[in-house]
Amino acid sequence: RVVSRVWANRDMNDLRKLAMRLTDEPKIVVLLGGAGTKSNLVFARSNDVEHDMKSLLLVALKMLGSEKGGGDQRFAQGGGIPASVEQIEKAIDQVKKNL
């Protein structure tokens, strides 16, 4: 299952906490975003899913004009650039196609 959502002005800590809580369940991929002057993305997966979240995050960040992100195969985050809800949704939609 893929859970994705983008909010305006959502705090990175809130995104991380939500992603961690959701990925406690099996077979979940989480793609979350917070739009604004310092937009943020958090991508995570359950332990039983094999997708590389860092690679997927870099695809989305590149679409947004940034490469500021890090993490590992299970949990990755990045952003810090201005982006609208629509821009982040478009980037996440592209990532979904790569799943």
Side-chain angles (χ1 to χ4, degrees):
R1 296 176 291 178
V2 178
V3 176
S4 66
R5 178 74 194 262
V6 179
W7 294 269
N9 301 312
R10 191 74 183 244
D11 180 73
M12 176 67 95
N13 288 328
D14 290 342
L15 297 175
R16 279 194 292 250
K17 288 176 188 176
L18 180 56
M20 287 189 279
R21 180 174 289 155
L22 290 169
T23 56
D24 281 343
E25 297 296 319
K27 299 182 182 178
I28 300 283
V29 172
V30 177
L31 310 170
L32 303 177
T37 56
K38 289 189 176 184
S39 59
N40 297 298
L41 296 173
V42 174
F43 290 3
R45 65 168 174 82
S46 303
N47 286 328
D48 60 346
V49 176
E50 295 187 20
H51 293 289
D52 183 346
M53 295 295 103
K54 185 176 179 181
S55 294
L56 294 172
L57 176 73
L58 294 176
V59 168
L61 289 175
K62 186 174 182 179
M63 289 184 68
L64 296 171
S66 176
E67 294 182 10
K68 294 181 181 182
D72 56 33
Q73 290 185 348
R74 187 172 179 278
F75 189 95
Q77 62 187 29
I81 58 162
S84 68
V85 169
E86 294 79 17
Q87 289 170 311
I88 295 174
E89 286 174 341
K90 185 176 178 182
I92 287 176
D93 285 343
Q94 182 61 47
V95 167
K96 287 180 187 177
K97 293 176 185 175
N98 292 337
L99 292 173

